[in-house]
Amino acid sequence: MSAPNKSYDPVEVEALKPEQIERMRDEALAAFAAADSLDALHEAKVAHTGPTSPLALANREIGALPPHAKADAGKRVGQARGAVNKGLAARQAELEAERDARVLVEEAVDVTLPYDRVPAGARHPLTTMMERVADVFVSMGYEIAEGPEVEAEWFNFDALNFGPDHPARQMQDTFFVQTASNSGSAAGKGADSDGESGVVLRTHTSPVQARAMLDREPPVYVVCPGRVFRTDELDATHTPVFHQIELLAVDEGLTMADLKGTLDHMVQSLFGADMKTRLRPNYFPFTEPSAEMDMLCYVCKGESVGNPDRSCRTCSSEGWIELGGCGMVNPRVLTACGVDPEKYSGFAFGFGIERMLMFRHNVEDMRDMVEGDVRFTRPFGMEI
Ligand code: DAH
């Protein structure tokens, strides 16, 4: 900055010469015009309007001028700065408009694009069916109980009163599991293959009954859904891996009437208020007496029996659909599981979920349930 000087002529101060001021203004305007982005414009703005810009420095010189020269120089610098600010604002508006237009194109969302390229899945109907049945009992206060799929032979058979040579042991066609302790005997004899490993893939959910009784003090009210295994070939009506649901109630004074009432309540909850069950004598080692349980055909309600005009696919016009097995828990089972049969009695039943799914939804081939084709599962997707 020059020192105050009374005889000072602004024209003499280099930075305040009119052509210099014009040059500064024109350079600023040219820099703004050349800025091709808002960032570049910001740099040009700092360079040409900031505190160290040529025009700002020139402006500072004015203070050192004699009073008569101040107005003239001030006017010139002021006009130049005004033009620069105007030019800046105009370019700023231009670049912002360009940016907004570009963002609209670049960040556009095509709301017409399909949104469902990843189709919604569906829970497997076996799962929903099992939960549906279990819920009937949970709402009555039963507890869900689970046991291992790889089960001790003792729980699967012995605790349930299957004698060592009981034909059911073969009848059930069991998968015996090779375990570390029995896999490599010195004689090279695989104990698993002749059924001596003591470990099986459970052939039914009934071993959970024994576990539940050993785990708790009576009264016991449990429902046990789960996967079971038998050495069947996979075909339209068999699968080596399938599902059962088991029920066990142990309390003082339970009778066959409680079993019957519970079964009726279950089929009414699942299939409608006018449903009922019937029991036919049968034999299971772990129940005495034992029965086969049938439910009224929920489609024809028995009306197809002896009525050729009203044949029923669901029950083959038999009026009843076979569900599974049931009975009063054999006192020997109670004893094996630490429950006093003099004080307590119990009832139990078990049935297959695949079968229920087949007749409830007219699934004709069991393989559809295991093959994992979503075209089978998806129609069940609306069931919760
Ligand atoms: N565990 C039997 C089976 O797999 C079914 C069964 C029968 C279960 C009678 C029971 C019962 O609880 O009481 O064939």
Side-chain angles (χ1 to χ4, degrees):
M1 194 188 299
S2 311
N5 178 352
K6 283 211 163 67
S7 61
Y8 210 94
D9 180 348
V11 180
E12 298 288 302
V13 179
E14 186 63 21
L16 292 174
K17 285 183 179 166
E19 61 273 20
Q20 288 296 351
I21 300 290
E22 277 166 27
R23 179 185 58 77
M24 290 172 199
R25 180 198 64 199
D26 292 345
E27 276 177 12
L29 293 176
F32 298 157
D36 57 1
S37 69
L38 286 163
D39 285 345
L41 184 64
H42 180 74
E43 275 174 36
K45 174 185 170 181
V46 172
H48 293 279
T49 66
T52 57
S53 63
L55 275 170
L57 295 177
N59 195 49
R60 281 206 248 158
E61 296 288 348
I62 296 171
L65 296 178
H68 69 275
K70 270 189 183 161
D72 191 34
K75 188 173 164 201
R76 241 178 306 141
V77 173
Q79 277 175 348
R81 293 181 104 186
V84 166
N85 284 337
K86 228 167 118 187
L88 173 67
R91 184 67 183 139
Q92 175 94 17
E94 238 171 66
L95 287 173
E96 279 175 3
E98 269 174 35
R99 180 207 51 200
D100 291 349
R102 195 174 56 245
V103 162
L104 277 181
V105 173
E106 283 171 5
E107 296 178 14
V109 175
D110 183 352
V111 293
T112 67
L113 282 176
Y115 61 89
D116 55 355
R117 290 249 175 86
V118 181
R123 302 178 75 211
H124 198 282
L126 284 172
T127 309
T128 36
M129 190 74 230
M130 256 194 314
E131 286 183 7
R132 185 183 291 268
V133 178
D135 277 355
V136 171
F137 297 105
V138 168
S139 68
M140 286 197 277
Y142 282 72
E143 198 186 327
I144 305 252
E146 286 179 320
E149 292 174 354
V150 178
E151 181 58 285
E153 198 179 345
W154 188 84
F155 278 111
N156 196 76
F157 292 126
D158 300 76
L160 300 173
N161 195 37
F162 288 79
D165 300 316
H166 197 285
R169 294 208 194 220
Q170 288 92 53
M171 252 165 57
Q172 302 248 16
D173 286 337
T174 308
F175 283 112
F176 282 84
V177 177
Q178 189 166 356
T179 59
S181 57
N182 68 45
S183 60
S185 69
K189 179 176 121 190
D192 56 301
S193 56
D194 54 18
E196 287 170 17
S197 70
V199 181
V200 300
L201 295 186
R202 66 179 179 195
T203 59
H204 50 177
T205 41
S206 302
V208 187
Q209 287 189 26
R211 288 182 174 273
M213 282 188 269
L214 286 167
D215 278 356
R216 317 168 164 65
E217 289 300 314
V220 175
Y221 288 90
V222 290
V223 56
C224 330
R227 198 152 44 166
V228 301
F229 308 83
R230 293 187 198 171
T231 60
D232 287 327
E233 293 291 329
L234 180 64
D235 63 26
T237 51
H238 296 90
T239 153
V241 183
F242 57 105
H243 298 77
Q244 288 188 335
I245 197 154
E246 186 88 16
L247 194 94
L248 171 70
V250 176
D251 207 337
E252 287 180 49
L254 291 181
T255 70
M256 204 89 179
D258 297 301
L259 167 64
K260 181 69 165 62
T262 307
L263 288 172
D264 283 346
H265 174 74
M266 176 180 74
V267 294
Q268 283 160 11
S269 303
L270 295 172
F271 293 95
D274 50 356
M275 288 293 295
K276 57 183 181 182
T277 56
R278 75 173 181 190
L279 303 182
R280 287 176 290 120
N282 197 356
Y283 173 76
F284 296 101
F286 41 97
T287 39
E288 181 56 39
S290 301
E292 204 68 50
M293 52 173 170
D294 296 342
M295 62 175 234
L296 191 64
C297 174
Y298 70 100
V299 177
C300 72
K301 304 276 159 59
E303 282 167 21
S304 64
V305 183
N307 185 353
D309 299 335
R310 171 93 170 77
S311 71
C312 179
R313 270 171 72 198
T314 306
C315 64
S316 309
S317 300
E318 290 184 2
W320 294 91
I321 300 169
E322 191 180 315
L323 251 194
C326 64
M328 298 305 291
V329 180
N330 191 316
R332 298 178 65 142
V333 174
L334 295 176
T335 306
C337 299
V339 176
D340 179 2
E342 297 295 323
K343 187 168 179 207
Y344 295 102
S345 58
F347 64 79
F349 64 79
F351 62 87
I353 297 294
E354 276 77 358
R355 247 188 68 72
M356 183 174 266
L357 200 66
M358 284 179 100
F359 67 71
R360 189 167 185 263
H361 295 282
N362 295 320
V363 179
E364 276 165 11
D365 195 323
M366 241 185 217
R367 284 169 290 203
D368 288 337
M369 296 181 207
V370 297
E371 277 169 357
D373 189 329
V374 291
R375 286 172 298 180
F376 171 73
T377 313
R378 216 179 277 135
F380 294 94
M382 27 278 288
E383 290 215 322
I384 44 160

